[in-house]
Every structure is written in structure tokens, then in C-alpha cells.
Amino acid sequence: MVESSEPRWLVLDGYEDEPAAFGVPPYVGFHIRYVCGVLESAGLDYEYMTVDRYRQALKTNPESIAKRLENCLGMVCIAGAVVPGKYLRGTPISLKETQTLIRNLPHGTPALFGGWAIRGWKQQGWTPLRPNLFLAVQDTDATLAHFLEKGEWKHQRRTAEQWTAWAQAGAASKAVTDHPDLGNETQAGPLTYEVEVYQGCVRYKRGCKFCIEPKKGVPIWRTPEDIIEEVRIAHDAGVHHVRLGGMTDTYTYMAEGVRELEYPVPDPEPIAKLLHGLREDERLGILHTDNGNPSIIAENMEPSEAITKTLVETLSDGAVLSFGLESADPSVHEANWLNCDPAQLKTAIRLINKHGSVRGER
């Protein structure tokens, strides 16, 4: 991280942590990269700083933070965790830290705060009053791009074209190259690149009560080619490890009948194309995936078995397929609209263990 006296934007990574979006180290989240991708695409200079480095600087050299805030052209922060949790390393930015940061910003400096934590705090009544401060409740990256182009704050959704452009620009941005977990040419660090495969959930009509993903609506897919190209760019920037995120259910990536069926039918081909395409790059180290819905697996055994075999062939040994299930108790299932019943859960576990229980070599 190189300090500069020249005015530039400050991007503060407050570490997102969503059900289908990891951004706490060693992961680098995709939303913070999209923000950097917007600035990269606009040709604007900026500094990327993790919230841990921000905290450390506040303790050891608070003058450096004050100077950064005084000199910045504007600031963007992706904040934090939706559900409180315990972390072994980095911890997402808190509401108290966010409030202090806002108070320390020079009067009138453009400041954009986004992420599901911001939405949650806002719904709880948090409405900080200061000029040129905006709390994004849609896509932070698209909201920033609109401000840079029009000079006004307005909630925005990114288009499919913007999604691709900012994902690819963000793959080689300072969120990657200046991340403390990246390592160097002689010793690779533990940085794991969280890539967004899709957004939304097939249970968008009546999803698990505790989860935010159904609120995103009908799933919007990215193509295997688009994702593979983004990861290739990330490899060029020094990334070794990848996690396929944004997938509320790995098995329903590009599935059939998402709008019409209670249990959409998995399509083994797109996920196989994606996983094998990623594995073809010899620079790829660890490859992990996101969640799996037991009810989808249980109600579509033949295509689910084909996908399971692909996961075993391509994912790193020790990879975990999270079922996102807090309990198999029928009363808990009914009260919380969970994603499967006990019978479906047992069927899914048997299938996964049939192919995935063997100790591998990778």
C-alpha cells in the first residue's frame, strides 16, 4: 500500500459477509472489486484499504488517516456483515466504526456506503445527516458510476454489460493487487478470490426466513465463459485460489423451470463447462464452491448425480457443499420455511457421500 499526497478516491473494504458472498480475509469479495472496477474503467486514481489496515493506522498513525480523508476526492465503503458472527481473523466494519468514519470525513466530501449491512442499519432507523453522503440500497457500483457520470446520487442497478465490464476490470484492480493476503512472486498468500456466479435464489417466492438471498429475486446467471475470463484476469494479477460464490444453490445454476417449478430441474452441462474450464488453467490452486439445496438434489436425482460427479472431479479435496440448513427438525423447518424436509435431507446426504466421501489426492 503506497501513500500518495495527490488527491484520489479512497475505497475502504469493510468486508462483506453474506450467505452467498464471502469477503472476510482470506477472501476478497466481489462487490468491493466491482467498485474498484468502476474507478478503473473511469480512469480515476484511488487507494484500496482494508478495514483492518484502517484500524491499525488509527492506532499507530492516526494522522495518516486524517490526511487521507482530507485529501481524498471521494470515498466508497462496502460495509459489513448481515448476521453477527465470530471471526478468526478480520472482522467486518461495525456501525460504530462507520459512524466515526463519517464524522471524520471533511464536510462535503462525496461519500458512498453500500452493502447489505447498510441496508439493515438503514431499516433499523440509521439515517446519518451530512451533505454529499449517500447510502446505496441497490448496486453500489452502479450508483457510483452514475454519480461519476451525472454528478448526482441516485439508486441504480447494473446492467449485464456493466456486470461483465466491472467484474473483469475489478479482477486486476487494487482490491486484488494491493490486498495484504495476495502474497508476492516468491511466496503466494492465502487470498481466495470470491467470484459471483449468479445472484438471487430459486426459492425467491418463499425462501428461508433468515436469508437475504430470496430478496434479490429471480436468479440472474452469468455465463461460464464470462466467469472463466474474469478468473483468468485474476490469475494474471497473481490470484491462485478461487471460490465460486453468489450461488444459493450450485445445482440450480442455469436450471430449467426456475419460474414455474417448485423444484427446478438442474442442468449438468453449464456447471460442468464452468468447473472444467476453470481447472484447465494450471495456475488454479484451491477451488471451492458455494451452497447446495438438498430438496433440489433429492427431487432431481439423475441430473444431481451428474453434477455431484463433476464437483468431485474438479473441486479441491476437502471442499464443503453447505446445505444452509440450521436444523432438520420438522417444527423448525415449518417455522422458518427451510429448504428441505428430513427425508429430502437424508436422500441428498446419501447421494453426496456416495461420490464425495473418498479421500482424494488434490
Side-chain angles (χ1 to χ4, degrees):
M1 182 177 61
V2 180
E3 293 189 31
S4 172
S5 59
E6 294 296 322
R8 55 182 177 171
W9 280 78
L10 175 63
V11 177
L12 182 63
D13 188 349
Y15 301 156
E16 66 182 334
D17 187 15
E18 301 178 10
F22 289 2
V24 181
Y27 297 93
V28 57
F30 42 77
H31 288 129
I32 197 70
R33 297 197 311 268
Y34 297 167
V35 166
C36 292
V38 170
L39 295 171
E40 294 275 354
S41 299
L44 295 174
D45 192 18
Y46 65 97
E47 177 183 7
Y48 167 82
M49 176 181 279
T50 65
V51 68
D52 281 325
R53 280 183 165 173
Y54 168 78
R55 291 168 179 143
Q56 184 180 23
L58 277 179
K59 290 181 179 180
T60 61
N61 189 9
E63 294 81 8
S64 68
I65 294 297
K67 185 177 180 181
R68 280 184 172 91
L69 297 181
E70 289 174 4
N71 290 339
C72 72
L73 296 173
M75 197 204 74
V76 186
C77 177
I78 296 291
V82 179
V83 179
K86 293 183 178 180
Y87 299 89
L88 297 178
R89 288 186 56 201
T91 303
I93 193 170
S94 67
L95 175 57
K96 182 178 179 180
E97 288 175 314
T98 304
Q99 291 171 325
T100 301
L101 173 60
I102 291 173
R103 284 197 299 268
N104 291 336
L105 277 171
H107 189 79
T109 298
L112 175 62
F113 287 77
W116 277 90
I118 294 295
R119 303 185 196 197
W121 297 339
K122 190 174 181 180
Q123 289 173 357
Q124 295 168 16
W126 180 58
T127 53
L129 299 176
R130 57 161 289 134
N132 226 355
L133 170 68
F134 196 74
L135 306 181
V137 297
Q138 293 185 352
D139 292 330
T140 309
D141 42 80
T143 301
L144 173 62
H146 180 83
F147 174 80
L148 295 176
E149 181 181 355
K150 303 292 186 181
E152 65 173 1
W153 292 118
K154 185 178 180 181
H155 297 296
Q156 294 288 300
R157 295 282 189 193
R158 73 179 78 90
T159 65
E161 292 75 20
Q162 289 171 330
W163 196 357
T164 296
W166 297 335
Q168 294 184 2
S173 70
K174 294 179 181 179
V176 174
T177 59
D178 287 359
H179 197 287
D181 277 359
L182 180 63
N184 51 49
E185 293 181 358
T186 58
Q187 184 173 2
L191 184 69
T192 302
Y193 187 92
E194 178 87 346
V195 60
E196 188 174 28
V197 177
Y198 70 84
Q199 64 181 33
C201 178
V202 297
R203 302 186 71 232
Y204 66 95
K205 296 178 182 177
R206 194 173 185 266
C208 303
K209 281 187 176 180
F210 58 82
C211 188
I212 64 171
E213 295 301 322
K215 299 180 186 297
K216 299 178 182 179
V218 180
I220 305 173
W221 327 110
R222 295 176 65 196
T223 66
E225 295 82 2
D226 188 17
I227 298 163
I228 291 169
E229 175 61 14
E230 179 192 344
V231 173
R232 183 196 65 77
I233 296 170
H235 284 319
D236 289 344
V239 166
H240 294 281
H241 311 307
V242 175
R243 179 182 181 270
L244 300 178
M247 290 198 289
T248 46
D249 178 21
T250 301
Y251 288 78
T252 49
Y253 173 56
M254 291 191 164
E256 300 176 11
V258 168
R259 292 179 180 270
E260 302 84 12
L261 302 176
E262 181 179 2
Y263 303 111
V265 180
D267 185 349
E269 291 188 12
I271 190 68
K273 186 175 184 179
L274 171 59
L275 289 167
H276 285 292
L278 292 172
R279 268 294 168 207
E280 287 178 0
D281 195 318
E282 295 181 353
R283 296 173 294 180
L284 178 63
I286 293 172
L287 178 62
H288 285 176
T289 192
D290 209 337
N291 305 302
N293 186 331
S295 66
I296 297 294
I297 297 171
E299 299 299 326
N300 298 279
M301 290 292 286
E302 184 175 343
S304 294
E305 184 163 26
I307 291 174
T308 302
K309 290 179 180 178
T310 299
L311 295 176
V312 172
E313 291 170 359
T314 55
L315 296 181
S316 298
D317 294 337
V320 174
L321 185 69
S322 171
F323 281 169
L325 192 67
E326 275 55 36
S327 173
D329 186 291
S331 59
V332 176
H333 166 79
E334 183 177 352
N336 293 280
W337 304 345
L338 299 185
N339 60 13
C340 72
D341 60 34
Q344 291 170 327
L345 176 62
K346 292 176 182 178
T347 299
I349 290 174
R350 282 194 292 268
L351 176 62
I352 301 302
N353 286 342
K354 175 182 176 182
H355 299 285
S357 61
V358 178
R359 183 183 296 273
E361 298 178 356
R362 184 168 53 242

